[in-house]
Amino acid sequence: MLNNFRERTGMTHIRGEEMEEGTFHEVVHVWIMNDEDQLLIQKRQPWKKGWPNMWDCAAAGSVLTGETTEIAAVRETKEELGIDIDLEQADILFTVKFPRGFDDNYLIRKNVKIEDLMLQYEEVADAKWATIEEIREMVNRGEFIAYHILENVFEIIESKISLRKAKMEDAEELYELQKQVFLPLYTKYEDHQTTPALQSFERFNERLLQGTFYKILEAGKLAGSVHVYKTAPNIMRLHMINILDSYQGRGLAQNVMERLEMIYPEVNSWELDTILQEERNCYLYEKMGYVRNGKQKVLNEKMTIISYEKHVGLAQLQSL
């Protein structure tokens, strides 16, 4: 069981029994897309209590005791469809906070033949591939579950921007990316003490294990990275966002910041530091709803670090 800030409480919950006030559990929804930009959807059996005979995403279910949502997503997909998925290659879409839990949504890119599926008879009546437009039409006809987050799913898919959790195997590539992004700033401001451009590989690896590092991909190609971690149960720090020069000026950073707020609905405050003299960055953060909190630190005559906070207008998804 979890508390309101998505922290483990050490308690367990028996399915079917009423949950205690202030406790939460986790569920997952798995969306699978093929190379034809079609989504794999399943039809629920007519005896299902919830949405019988309705079409749904590829797989979904509750997280069991001892599981992570990633493990649960793999298990549910195997049980319901008979196929194996690799969550290390999954796009993290968002998390919906509902009155008694957190719902993680993942997107997997995988080609599979319908005839190769092994449908779980107790749960799944049928399965097929459908385009986004076909699913919209099915919703209008009352055939597909009218999730309020459907358009959020479609918008993220159509943006071609992906967020994937980085692994230790990604460390060298992300380390070089960080140096490439920050070297021009180091040259400009001559910050010899704190610049990420001079950070050691060992220190970078330590950061990789703190909080969560995400790879930012556009159309499947690495465009940058972002690092976030909690400084308190309800406060998330946007520690560093790195966008390669060839991908800048296209709204990528803004898109990623919105996505991050959607991934962490349990926090009600975000914080970050930036360079005062980088007016374009300051403009972006203020456009995104961040406000200066008055904290600043002069590093040298060319460079001052200022702090921002955001408490309202978070792009979070809640249940209806």
Side-chain angles (χ1 to χ4, degrees):
M1 300 297 295
L2 310 169
N3 63 17
N4 187 54
F5 301 118
R6 206 168 183 178
E7 298 172 316
R8 302 288 174 186
T9 64
M11 302 169 56
T12 57
H13 172 253
I14 299 176
R15 190 170 185 175
E17 293 187 0
E18 187 174 349
M19 296 177 62
E20 294 185 18
E21 187 70 27
T23 60
F24 298 80
H25 72 292
E26 294 172 306
V27 298
V28 294
H29 279 78
V30 179
W31 304 84
I32 298 177
M33 173 166 274
N34 63 16
D35 290 342
E36 303 298 319
D37 290 335
Q38 297 171 313
L39 289 166
L40 182 61
I41 59 177
Q42 63 156 276
K43 188 175 185 180
R44 298 166 67 84
Q45 289 285 18
W47 52 77
K48 291 285 291 180
K49 289 184 178 180
W51 299 294
N53 277 322
M54 297 285 285
W55 288 88
D56 198 353
C57 65
S62 296
V63 178
L64 304 180
T65 301
E67 288 185 332
T68 62
T69 58
E70 291 89 348
I71 293 174
V74 172
R75 174 182 53 77
E76 289 286 353
T77 306
K78 182 69 172 180
E79 289 177 355
E80 296 182 8
L81 302 178
I83 58 175
D84 297 306
I85 58 173
D86 181 6
L87 260 291
E88 291 188 351
Q89 299 301 317
D91 297 350
I92 302 167
L93 297 179
F94 49 74
T95 297
V96 179
K97 186 177 182 181
F98 57 98
R100 281 290 178 264
F102 298 91
D103 178 8
D104 287 349
N105 283 252
Y106 295 97
L107 174 66
I108 308 295
R109 302 181 189 277
K110 185 179 181 69
N111 296 311
V112 60
K113 296 179 180 178
I114 296 298
E115 55 267 30
D116 291 339
L117 299 178
M118 299 177 62
L119 306 184
Q120 185 182 26
Y121 176 74
E122 296 80 6
E123 302 277 345
V124 185
D126 198 2
K128 66 179 182 178
W129 292 102
T131 65
I132 288 176
E133 191 54 41
E134 287 171 339
I135 293 175
R136 286 192 176 111
E137 293 172 357
M138 293 172 70
V139 171
N140 292 334
R141 294 195 300 265
E143 299 171 358
F144 194 100
I145 300 173
Y147 293 118
H148 73 286
I149 48 84
L150 263 183
E151 288 303 321
N152 298 102
V153 173
F154 298 158
E155 181 180 353
I156 292 172
I157 290 173
E158 291 172 337
S159 76
K160 304 297 183 182
I161 298 172
S162 303
L163 288 180
R164 296 182 186 174
K165 286 186 178 179
K167 309 181 297 296
M168 289 306 299
E169 301 92 282
D170 301 313
E172 186 171 346
E173 181 180 33
L174 295 180
Y175 177 64
E176 292 302 324
L177 183 149
Q178 175 178 289
K179 289 197 298 182
Q180 182 178 343
V181 170
F182 277 92
L183 185 59
L185 293 175
Y186 170 64
T187 303
K188 181 178 181 180
Y189 295 110
E190 299 179 351
D191 169 29
H192 306 294
Q193 302 300 318
T194 66
T195 176
L198 299 182
Q199 187 180 63
S200 69
F201 185 59
E202 291 72 24
R203 178 56 177 161
F204 180 84
N205 279 331
E206 292 175 6
R207 281 293 189 185
L208 194 62
L209 297 174
Q210 179 186 8
T212 306
F213 242 102
Y214 293 97
K215 296 188 293 183
I216 304 170
L217 298 98
E218 185 178 78
K221 296 184 178 180
L222 186 65
S225 66
V226 62
H227 181 216
V228 298
Y229 61 89
K230 287 186 177 181
T231 58
N234 65 326
I235 301 175
M236 187 71 74
R237 169 166 282 270
L238 178 57
H239 173 246
M240 188 182 301
I241 182 166
N242 307 317
I243 305 295
L244 290 171
D245 185 67
S246 58
Y247 288 92
Q248 292 184 12
R250 293 154 56 173
L252 189 59
Q254 179 176 333
N255 183 295
V256 169
M257 292 171 70
E258 290 176 349
R259 288 276 300 279
L260 289 170
E261 292 176 8
M262 295 165 68
I263 292 173
Y264 299 99
E266 72 273 19
V267 305
N268 53 32
S269 181
W270 283 76
E271 60 183 23
L272 61 84
D273 295 337
T274 193
I275 301 171
L276 173 63
Q277 289 77 10
E278 288 297 301
E279 296 181 357
R280 190 173 68 171
N281 289 347
C282 294
Y283 173 79
L284 168 64
Y285 299 139
E286 290 167 14
K287 177 182 176 182
M288 292 294 298
Y290 282 81
V291 295
R292 301 185 190 188
N293 62 14
K295 298 178 182 178
Q296 67 176 43
K297 183 178 181 180
V298 178
L299 296 185
N300 59 40
E301 60 182 11
K302 297 181 179 180
M303 179 179 177
T304 299
I305 298 295
I306 59 173
S307 298
Y308 279 93
E309 296 176 357
K310 182 176 182 179
H311 307 288
V312 297
L314 299 174
Q316 297 177 341
L317 297 176
Q318 305 289 331
S319 64
L320 294 181

